[in-house]
Amino acid sequence: MIDKKDVEYSADLAHLKLSEEEKELYTEQIAKIFDYVEKLNELDTEDVVPTAYTVPMKNVMREDKVEESLDREKSLANAPDKKEGQFRVPKIMSE
C-alpha cells in the first residue's frame, strides 16, 4: 500500500514541490490505481495469449541506405550560436 511518505519520496526524486493537499490527493489517486491493478491480478489469464499490440503491425521502417546529407554550412546556417563548426548550446548540467 502506498502512503504519503512514498509520494513525498517520489516527488523528491522528480524535484517536484507538492503542497500538502497535492500530497494527499496523489496518495489517494495512486492507491486507487494500485487497488485496480490488484483487482486485475485476480483475473484468470491462463488461456490468454500475450500481445504487444492490439492491432496487427507491419514493419514500418524504411530501408537503411546511405544518402547525401546536409553539409555543415547549411546545417549551421540558422543556428543562433555556433563555434568551430558546431552548435553551441547553454550548459544544462551542474557540477
Side-chain angles (χ1 to χ4, degrees):
M1 192 62 173
I2 190 166
D3 60 19
K4 195 162 88 170
K5 285 185 181 183
D6 295 319
V7 171
E8 290 170 341
Y9 178 73
S10 298
D12 186 51
L13 288 175
H15 300 284
L16 299 174
K17 303 281 187 222
L18 300 178
S19 67
E20 286 302 314
E21 291 106 15
E22 290 171 320
K23 290 176 190 176
E24 294 293 331
L25 175 67
Y26 297 149
T27 301
E28 205 174 290
Q29 289 177 340
I30 294 170
K32 286 180 182 177
I33 293 168
F34 285 177
D35 289 344
Y36 187 72
V37 170
E38 195 57 42
K39 188 168 185 77
L40 290 175
N41 284 333
E42 297 172 8
L43 291 173
D44 178 17
T45 58
E46 185 69 31
D47 296 324
V48 177
V49 178
T51 59
Y53 302 100
T54 57
V55 294
M57 292 290 292
K58 63 177 182 166
N59 188 353
V60 293
M61 306 293 256
R62 66 173 171 78
E63 184 180 332
D64 191 14
K65 58 184 176 182
V66 177
E67 295 181 354
E68 193 171 323
S69 60
L70 289 176
D71 65 25
R72 186 177 291 189
E73 293 305 314
K74 281 186 180 178
S75 297
L76 294 169
N78 293 320
D81 196 5
K82 53 192 166 204
K83 181 178 179 181
E84 299 174 6
Q86 298 178 357
F87 293 98
R88 278 194 83 215
V89 296
K91 183 178 177 179
I92 60 168
M93 298 183 71
S94 60
E95 298 288 326

